[in-house]
Amino acid sequence: MEKYLIVCPLVFLAGLVDSIAGGGGLISLPAYLVAGVPPHMALGTNKTSSSLGTIVSTARLAKNGFVDWKAAIPGGICSILGAVCGATISLYVSEAVITHMMILILPVVAFYVLRTKNMGEDERTGSVTGPRLTAMVCAFGLVMGVYDGFYGPGTGTFLLLLLTGLAHMDTRRAAGVTKVLNLSSNLSALLTFLISGNVYYSLGLVSGLFCIAGHSIGSALVVKGGRQVVRPVILIVLCILFGKLAVGF
């Protein structure tokens, strides 16, 4: 019960934050570790809850016509391949390496998430199109798929930055493609962890419901000033979780 009391509220917050500003994995993955879930099991269980939440976000964006399927489908396939490779590699890495690596990476990823204050607020024009766009999306999907399968936190934010910054997609289309790629890598990595027996089923499914609730409520909070509210929350939670991990390991 203690694990549920620690993980579920934080996964709800992760879903809320992810739907507004991205970077929800920065909260959810450390939450599982703080609750005492072994690193490999935490990676797999986090994929369970995050996949459920991402399905909601992806469906909402697709329903509103924000997904460029010509680029998203091949990019999603590359994300699947990358995530399977990343998740497989993570299974051969010791739990201590994963935990210590997260302590090093967490502040770096958080820095990039927190410094992109205007991400998603400015519409871009002059988007890359055609085969060049598809090739870029596939490359981004493959590289970030490996990262998502191996580790994960910040994947959606990095994809959004790549698509808006390098492919010059407008933020809505970029968000739609990002969700498809992120969902593809999440589900394929989850399958890899399921096959290897590294998923805490009950905790993953229950926390997944909280993640869905967070994504649903967060989508209604994307109003003026929403990002300014949520980013200090990310920073506070990250500081607490990072401190706990540093002391505990």
Side-chain angles (χ1 to χ4, degrees):
M1 182 58 68
E2 182 181 357
K3 286 182 172 61
Y4 290 86
L5 292 177
I6 294 173
V7 169
C8 290
L10 289 173
V11 169
F12 168 81
L13 179 61
L16 184 72
V17 166
D18 199 56
S19 63
I20 298 174
L26 293 167
I27 298 173
S28 60
L29 182 56
Y32 287 107
L33 291 173
V34 169
V37 180
H40 287 127
M41 190 74 74
L43 287 170
T45 308
N46 183 53
K47 289 302 178 189
T48 304
S49 57
S50 63
S51 293
L52 292 174
T54 306
I55 287 173
V56 173
S57 299
T58 304
R60 181 175 65 249
L61 291 172
K63 182 179 179 180
N64 286 279
F66 296 147
V67 177
D68 184 340
W69 292 109
K70 290 183 179 180
I73 291 177
I77 294 173
C78 290
S79 291
I80 290 173
L81 296 175
V84 171
C85 291
T88 302
I89 293 171
S90 73
L91 294 175
Y92 291 95
V93 176
S94 71
E95 295 186 347
V97 171
I98 293 176
T99 301
H100 293 146
M101 185 184 71
M102 190 179 69
I103 292 176
L104 294 174
I105 294 179
L106 190 60
V108 178
V109 179
F111 171 76
Y112 280 104
V113 173
L114 293 171
R115 75 188 292 269
T116 56
K117 296 181 179 180
N118 295 320
M119 188 189 67
E121 294 177 357
D122 301 320
E123 294 297 323
R124 293 177 179 268
T125 57
S127 161
V128 178
T129 59
R132 185 184 174 193
L133 174 62
T134 301
M136 293 180 73
V137 172
C138 287
F140 299 155
L142 181 63
V143 173
M144 295 311 302
V146 173
Y147 171 76
D148 193 27
F150 183 80
Y151 182 61
T155 300
T157 301
F158 287 145
L159 280 170
L160 196 57
L161 287 170
L162 289 169
L163 291 172
T164 55
L166 297 182
H168 302 296
M169 297 179 73
D170 67 77
T171 52
R172 289 183 176 180
R173 287 178 63 225
V177 173
T178 291
K179 288 301 179 185
V180 172
L181 268 57
N182 209 174
L183 179 59
S184 299
S185 60
N186 274 343
L187 291 176
S188 54
L190 172 59
L191 179 60
T192 304
F193 285 115
L194 284 170
I195 293 173
S196 66
N198 283 289
V199 174
Y200 193 149
Y201 292 97
S202 57
L203 181 60
L205 292 174
V206 173
S207 60
L209 297 177
F210 280 80
C211 189
I212 290 174
H215 272 266
S216 299
I217 294 175
S219 63
L221 296 178
V222 184
V223 294
K224 186 176 181 179
R227 297 175 189 275
Q228 286 70 23
V229 171
V230 86
R231 289 179 186 279
V233 174
I234 299 176
L235 183 59
I236 293 171
V237 173
L238 286 177
C239 288
I240 294 173
L241 292 176
F242 178 78
K244 174 66 176 178
L245 286 172
V247 171
F249 295 97

